[in-house]
Amino acid sequence: AQKVTQAQTEISVVEKEDVTLDCVYETRDTTYYLFWYKQPPSGELVFLIRRNSFDEQNEISGRYSWNFQKSTSSFNFTITASQVVDSAVYFCALIQTLTGNTGKLIFGQGTTLQVKP
Amino acid sequence: DAGVTQSPTHLIKTRGQHVTLRCSPISGHKSVSWYQQVLGQGPQFIFQYYEKEERGRGNFPDRFSARQFPNYSSELNVNALLLGDSALYLCASSFKGEYEQYFGPGTRLTVT
């Protein structure tokens, strides 16, 4: 079975602190994609990153960075020098690509990040 | 370029009624997916359509149906509405199903 677990329900930090959002996944497929989405209070899910299962290189985009470790089935997301505008719910998601490719995104429960000024 | 659009934005229906939600994908995208997001939870997959054919279906009752039109827009229909159908319904488009999916603003459905 496929599953995405985001153990942190809520995180609260003060502006300029670094924060890491954890994501652990389960899948039997050898080929899959992992995603992070941001959902601000407006409700629209904003795509942040896609990572395929064969690419374990870490990625940095501005203040955002992602650490993908296949050995621990984790795909963690770090925000450096957090800002109030980073306050949102963040979702990690998984999609399988080979067996029964339905294009189904499987989401974690989400982590609510509150950045206080 | 315009993003994914959904209509209506908000909708209030009574139990037992029927509802149709609409979605227009990003230009050039051929796949549309529908998700239901209940308050406080992650989105749950309902359907995916690619090139006008159903490619996948989530664990939802037959009251839920969808279709994709030749212009790749899509409709989600829900019959015999229940209170538990109250949720944010999200549409996502992608070039192909497994590519990154871009979400619309959603339709918030309230069933009373």
CSV table of all heavy atoms in Angstrom, one decimal, chain B residues 48-70:
chain,number,residue,atom,x,y,z
B,48,GLN,N,-9.3,10.7,-12.3
B,48,GLN,CA,-8.4,11.4,-13.2
B,48,GLN,C,-8.8,11.0,-14.6
B,48,GLN,O,-9.2,9.9,-14.9
B,48,GLN,CB,-6.9,11.0,-13.1
B,48,GLN,CG,-6.0,11.8,-14.0
B,48,GLN,CD,-4.6,11.4,-14.0
B,48,GLN,OE1,-4.2,10.4,-14.5
B,48,GLN,NE2,-3.8,12.3,-13.4
B,49,TYR,N,-8.8,12.0,-15.5
B,49,TYR,CA,-9.1,11.8,-16.9
B,49,TYR,C,-7.9,12.3,-17.7
B,49,TYR,O,-7.3,13.3,-17.4
B,49,TYR,CB,-10.4,12.7,-17.3
B,49,TYR,CG,-11.7,11.9,-17.0
B,49,TYR,CD1,-12.1,11.9,-15.7
B,49,TYR,CD2,-12.4,11.3,-18.0
B,49,TYR,CE1,-13.3,11.2,-15.4
B,49,TYR,CE2,-13.5,10.6,-17.6
B,49,TYR,CZ,-14.0,10.6,-16.3
B,49,TYR,OH,-15.1,9.9,-16.0
B,50,TYR,N,-7.7,11.5,-18.8
B,50,TYR,CA,-6.6,11.8,-19.7
B,50,TYR,C,-7.1,11.6,-21.1
B,50,TYR,O,-7.6,10.5,-21.4
B,50,TYR,CB,-5.3,11.0,-19.4
B,50,TYR,CG,-4.2,11.3,-20.4
B,50,TYR,CD1,-3.6,12.5,-20.4
B,50,TYR,CD2,-3.8,10.3,-21.2
B,50,TYR,CE1,-2.5,12.7,-21.3
B,50,TYR,CE2,-2.8,10.5,-22.1
B,50,TYR,CZ,-2.1,11.7,-22.2
B,50,TYR,OH,-1.1,11.9,-23.1
B,51,GLU,N,-7.0,12.6,-21.9
B,51,GLU,CA,-7.5,12.5,-23.3
B,51,GLU,C,-8.9,11.9,-23.4
B,51,GLU,O,-9.2,11.0,-24.1
B,51,GLU,CB,-6.6,11.5,-24.1
B,51,GLU,CG,-5.2,12.2,-24.5
B,51,GLU,CD,-5.3,13.2,-25.6
B,51,GLU,OE1,-6.4,13.6,-26.0
B,51,GLU,OE2,-4.2,13.5,-26.2
B,52,LYS,N,-9.7,12.5,-22.5
B,52,LYS,CA,-11.2,12.2,-22.4
B,52,LYS,C,-11.5,10.8,-21.9
B,52,LYS,O,-12.7,10.5,-21.9
B,52,LYS,CB,-11.8,12.5,-23.8
B,52,LYS,CG,-11.6,13.9,-24.3
B,52,LYS,CD,-12.1,14.1,-25.7
B,52,LYS,CE,-11.2,13.5,-26.7
B,52,LYS,NZ,-10.0,14.3,-27.1
B,53,GLU,N,-10.6,10.1,-21.4
B,53,GLU,CA,-10.9,8.8,-20.9
B,53,GLU,C,-10.5,8.7,-19.4
B,53,GLU,O,-9.5,9.3,-19.0
B,53,GLU,CB,-10.1,7.7,-21.6
B,53,GLU,CG,-10.6,7.5,-23.0
B,53,GLU,CD,-10.0,6.2,-23.7
B,53,GLU,OE1,-9.3,5.5,-23.0
B,53,GLU,OE2,-10.3,6.0,-24.9
B,54,GLU,N,-11.4,8.0,-18.6
B,54,GLU,CA,-11.1,7.8,-17.2
B,54,GLU,C,-9.9,7.0,-17.0
B,54,GLU,O,-9.8,5.9,-17.5
B,54,GLU,CB,-12.3,7.2,-16.5
B,54,GLU,CG,-12.1,7.1,-15.0
B,54,GLU,CD,-13.3,6.4,-14.3
B,54,GLU,OE1,-14.4,6.9,-14.5
B,54,GLU,OE2,-13.0,5.3,-13.7
B,55,ARG,N,-8.9,7.5,-16.3
B,55,ARG,CA,-7.6,6.8,-16.1
B,55,ARG,C,-7.5,6.2,-14.7
B,55,ARG,O,-6.7,5.4,-14.4
B,55,ARG,CB,-6.5,7.8,-16.3
B,55,ARG,CG,-5.2,7.2,-16.7
B,55,ARG,CD,-4.2,8.2,-17.0
B,55,ARG,NE,-3.0,7.7,-17.5
B,55,ARG,CZ,-1.8,8.3,-17.5
B,55,ARG,NH1,-1.8,9.5,-17.1
B,55,ARG,NH2,-0.8,7.7,-18.0
B,56,GLY,N,-8.3,6.8,-13.8
B,56,GLY,CA,-8.2,6.3,-12.4
B,56,GLY,C,-9.4,6.8,-11.6
B,56,GLY,O,-10.0,7.8,-11.9
B,57,ARG,N,-9.7,6.0,-10.6
B,57,ARG,CA,-10.9,6.4,-9.8
B,57,ARG,C,-10.5,6.0,-8.3
B,57,ARG,O,-10.0,5.0,-8.1
B,57,ARG,CB,-12.1,5.6,-10.2
B,57,ARG,CG,-13.3,5.9,-9.4
B,57,ARG,CD,-14.5,5.1,-9.8
B,57,ARG,NE,-15.7,5.5,-9.0
B,57,ARG,CZ,-16.8,6.0,-9.6
B,57,ARG,NH1,-16.9,6.1,-10.9
B,57,ARG,NH2,-17.8,6.4,-8.8
B,58,GLY,N,-10.8,7.0,-7.5
B,58,GLY,CA,-10.6,6.7,-6.0
B,58,GLY,C,-11.7,6.0,-5.4
B,58,GLY,O,-12.7,5.6,-6.0
B,59,ASN,N,-11.6,5.9,-4.1
B,59,ASN,CA,-12.6,5.1,-3.3
B,59,ASN,C,-13.8,6.0,-3.0
B,59,ASN,O,-14.0,6.4,-1.8
B,59,ASN,CB,-11.9,4.6,-2.0
B,59,ASN,CG,-12.8,3.6,-1.3
B,59,ASN,OD1,-13.7,3.0,-1.9
B,59,ASN,ND2,-12.6,3.5,0.0
B,60,PHE,N,-14.6,6.3,-4.0
B,60,PHE,CA,-15.8,7.1,-3.8
B,60,PHE,C,-17.0,6.4,-4.4
B,60,PHE,O,-16.8,5.6,-5.3
B,60,PHE,CB,-15.6,8.5,-4.5
B,60,PHE,CG,-14.8,9.5,-3.7
B,60,PHE,CD1,-13.4,9.4,-3.7
B,60,PHE,CD2,-15.4,10.4,-3.0
B,60,PHE,CE1,-12.7,10.3,-3.0
B,60,PHE,CE2,-14.7,11.4,-2.2
B,60,PHE,CZ,-13.3,11.3,-2.2
B,61,PRO,N,-18.1,6.6,-3.8
B,61,PRO,CA,-19.3,5.9,-4.3
B,61,PRO,C,-19.7,6.3,-5.7
B,61,PRO,O,-19.3,7.3,-6.2
B,61,PRO,CB,-20.4,6.3,-3.3
B,61,PRO,CG,-20.0,7.6,-2.7
B,61,PRO,CD,-18.5,7.5,-2.7
B,62,ASP,N,-20.6,5.5,-6.3
B,62,ASP,CA,-21.1,5.7,-7.6
B,62,ASP,C,-21.9,7.0,-7.8
B,62,ASP,O,-22.2,7.5,-8.9
B,62,ASP,CB,-21.9,4.6,-8.1
B,62,ASP,CG,-21.1,3.3,-8.3
B,62,ASP,OD1,-19.9,3.4,-8.4
B,62,ASP,OD2,-21.7,2.2,-8.4
B,63,ARG,N,-22.2,7.7,-6.7
B,63,ARG,CA,-22.9,9.0,-6.8
B,63,ARG,C,-22.0,10.0,-7.4
B,63,ARG,O,-22.4,11.0,-7.9
B,63,ARG,CB,-23.3,9.4,-5.4
B,63,ARG,CG,-24.2,8.5,-4.6
B,63,ARG,CD,-24.6,9.1,-3.3
B,63,ARG,NE,-23.5,9.3,-2.3
B,63,ARG,CZ,-23.0,10.5,-2.0
B,63,ARG,NH1,-23.4,11.6,-2.6
B,63,ARG,NH2,-22.0,10.5,-1.2
B,64,PHE,N,-20.7,9.7,-7.4
B,64,PHE,CA,-19.7,10.6,-8.0
B,64,PHE,C,-19.4,10.2,-9.4
B,64,PHE,O,-19.1,9.0,-9.6
B,64,PHE,CB,-18.4,10.6,-7.1
B,64,PHE,CG,-18.5,11.3,-5.8
B,64,PHE,CD1,-19.1,10.7,-4.7
B,64,PHE,CD2,-18.0,12.6,-5.6
B,64,PHE,CE1,-19.2,11.4,-3.5
B,64,PHE,CE2,-18.1,13.2,-4.4
B,64,PHE,CZ,-18.7,12.6,-3.4
B,65,SER,N,-19.5,11.1,-10.3
B,65,SER,CA,-19.1,10.8,-11.7
B,65,SER,C,-18.5,12.0,-12.3
B,65,SER,O,-18.6,13.1,-11.8
B,65,SER,CB,-20.4,10.4,-12.5
B,65,SER,OG,-21.3,11.4,-12.6
B,66,ALA,N,-17.8,11.8,-13.4
B,66,ALA,CA,-17.1,12.9,-14.1
B,66,ALA,C,-17.0,12.6,-15.6
B,66,ALA,O,-17.2,11.5,-16.0
B,66,ALA,CB,-15.7,13.1,-13.5
B,67,ARG,N,-16.6,13.6,-16.3
B,67,ARG,CA,-16.3,13.4,-17.7
B,67,ARG,C,-15.4,14.6,-18.2
B,67,ARG,O,-15.3,15.6,-17.5
B,67,ARG,CB,-17.6,13.4,-18.5
B,67,ARG,CG,-18.5,14.6,-18.4
B,67,ARG,CD,-19.7,14.5,-19.3
B,67,ARG,NE,-20.7,15.6,-19.0
B,67,ARG,CZ,-21.7,15.9,-19.9
B,67,ARG,NH1,-21.9,15.1,-20.9
B,67,ARG,NH2,-22.5,16.9,-19.6
B,68,GLN,N,-14.7,14.3,-19.3
B,68,GLN,CA,-13.9,15.3,-19.9
B,68,GLN,C,-14.3,15.5,-21.3
B,68,GLN,O,-14.6,14.6,-22.0
B,68,GLN,CB,-12.4,14.8,-19.8
B,68,GLN,CG,-11.4,15.9,-20.3
B,68,GLN,CD,-10.0,15.4,-20.2
B,68,GLN,OE1,-9.6,14.2,-20.3
B,68,GLN,NE2,-9.1,16.3,-19.9
B,69,PHE,N,-14.3,16.8,-21.7
B,69,PHE,CA,-14.8,17.2,-23.0
B,69,PHE,C,-13.7,17.3,-24.0
B,69,PHE,O,-12.5,17.3,-23.6
B,69,PHE,CB,-15.6,18.5,-22.8
B,69,PHE,CG,-16.7,18.4,-21.9
B,69,PHE,CD1,-16.7,18.9,-20.6
B,69,PHE,CD2,-17.9,17.9,-22.3
B,69,PHE,CE1,-17.7,18.8,-19.7
B,69,PHE,CE2,-19.0,17.8,-21.5
B,69,PHE,CZ,-18.9,18.2,-20.2
B,70,PRO,N,-14.0,17.4,-25.3
B,70,PRO,CA,-13.0,17.5,-26.3
B,70,PRO,C,-12.0,18.6,-26.1
B,70,PRO,O,-10.8,18.6,-26.5
B,70,PRO,CB,-13.8,17.7,-27.6
B,70,PRO,CG,-15.0,16.9,-27.3
B,70,PRO,CD,-15.3,17.2,-25.9
